[in-house]
Amino acid sequence: MATTEVVKSRTLLGECSAEFAGTFILILFGVGVVAQVVAGGIGNHDSIAWAWGIGVTMGVYVSARVSGAHINPAVTIALAAFRGFAWRKVLPYIAAQFLGAFAAAMVVRWNYSEVLQKFDPGLTIKSQGVFSTLPGNGNVELGVGMWGGFLDQIIGTAILMLVILAIVDLRNTAPAANLGPFMIGLLVVGIGMAWGTLAGYAINPARDFGPRLASALTGYGGDAFKDQFGDPYFWVPIVGPIIGALIGAFLYDLLVGRNLPVGDADEEPGRVPEEETTA
């Protein structure tokens, strides 16, 4: 006897729930590993790069079918500007992403509270890098300041967005739908290993501001919004990635996208293609 699959219509609330969940998973892995390496002394920079990549992969697998798994406000804005993603969904998606990042950071803060207190009793800049990025990862000797971090965030996110568009572009040599999240995770690992020195490769406004706010509300205070030089730094991992994502999308279309064959694109940008139903 033939069966039919019940197809549920998507709602904006459902899509935002998926964005919350995907970003939540991303930050559990990402901020969790930084807490383990920095405060617990287990692991190294490679551990951080791989765990962030795994977090991205798992976050995309969790949310892709429902929301397209943007899990990054800069990606959402770039898709709206260059791929026809509905502008009316941009602010709700971004709110869900920030809330997911904030909630996950609160879980990490709670879980690692004893270790953080032991490592840095005063909850100072020494452990602030667990939650948010800093120029030169907080290392004064590197000489990286606010504007160096800003440039780095633009470049890093431009790389991220350009390659993401290549991976999800079905006109290009895109991987199978179920391998896309894995490839995007590898992309983030590569960026972390090659572009992690100057600003901690936030490349995602929600990834930085959500945990930054969580730390500010749980003992770090207003200093959480500053860098090691006392300069207001919180805006850098917000504005820089947005500019970088727009540049990356523009460059992909300029250098590659416009030269590819034109095909039908029924799905909303960034969403995993629907499976056909059988009767």
Side-chain angles (χ1 to χ4, degrees):
M1 186 172 101
T3 60
T4 58
E5 180 185 353
V6 177
V7 179
K8 294 183 178 179
S9 60
R10 285 185 294 264
T11 65
L12 180 57
L13 178 60
E15 293 172 15
C16 290
S17 296
E19 283 296 300
F20 175 95
T23 312
F24 183 84
I25 294 298
L26 163 63
I27 299 303
L28 285 182
F29 279 89
V31 174
V33 72
V34 180
Q36 176 172 278
V37 172
V38 173
I42 301 174
N44 52 33
H45 177 74
D46 287 352
S47 306
I48 293 173
W50 277 106
W52 273 109
I54 291 170
V56 168
T57 299
M58 299 307 157
V60 174
Y61 274 126
V62 164
S63 57
R65 187 64 186 273
V66 177
S67 69
H70 301 183
I71 61 176
N72 183 336
V75 171
T76 298
I77 291 171
L79 289 176
F82 288 90
R83 287 296 181 274
F85 181 73
W87 281 104
R88 66 179 179 82
K89 296 183 180 181
V90 168
L91 287 180
Y93 263 52
I94 290 175
Q97 292 154 0
F98 275 115
L99 287 173
F102 174 81
M106 290 294 283
V107 172
V108 173
R109 177 70 176 89
W110 173 48
N111 186 64
Y112 278 92
S113 59
E114 294 176 347
V115 175
L116 287 166
Q117 196 67 39
K118 180 71 174 179
F119 173 74
D120 182 19
L123 299 179
T124 66
I125 198 74
K126 181 180 178 181
S127 62
Q128 176 57 39
V130 168
F131 298 96
S132 56
T133 58
L134 295 163
N137 293 309
N139 187 345
V140 177
E141 295 180 0
L142 288 178
V144 182
M146 180 167 60
W147 294 108
F150 183 64
L151 175 62
D152 179 82
Q153 285 299 287
I154 293 174
I155 295 173
T157 316
I159 296 169
L160 174 74
M161 194 68 221
L162 189 155
V163 181
I164 285 177
L165 289 181
I167 291 172
V168 302
D169 193 341
L170 297 180
R171 302 171 302 155
N172 207 328
T173 53
N178 61 338
L179 288 179
F182 177 72
M183 299 308 298
I184 293 172
L186 283 182
L187 166 62
V188 172
V189 173
I191 292 174
M193 289 183 170
W195 292 85
T197 298
L198 300 186
Y201 72 105
I203 56 177
N204 182 337
R207 169 267 174 273
D208 189 89
F209 190 76
R212 191 182 294 272
L213 180 60
S215 65
L217 296 176
T218 58
Y220 288 84
D223 288 341
F225 300 100
K226 302 176 183 178
D227 61 19
Q228 64 268 32
F229 305 106
D231 296 323
Y233 189 78
F234 70 94
W235 65 272
V236 170
I238 296 175
V239 179
I242 292 173
I243 295 173
L246 292 171
I247 292 174
F250 172 78
L251 288 176
Y252 178 78
D253 283 352
L254 175 68
L255 301 175
V256 180
R258 67 175 182 168
N259 298 311
L260 292 170
V262 177
D264 294 331
D266 296 327
E267 285 294 323
E268 191 168 36
R271 195 185 307 285
V272 175
E274 294 284 1
E275 298 178 356
E276 293 184 1
T277 60
T278 59

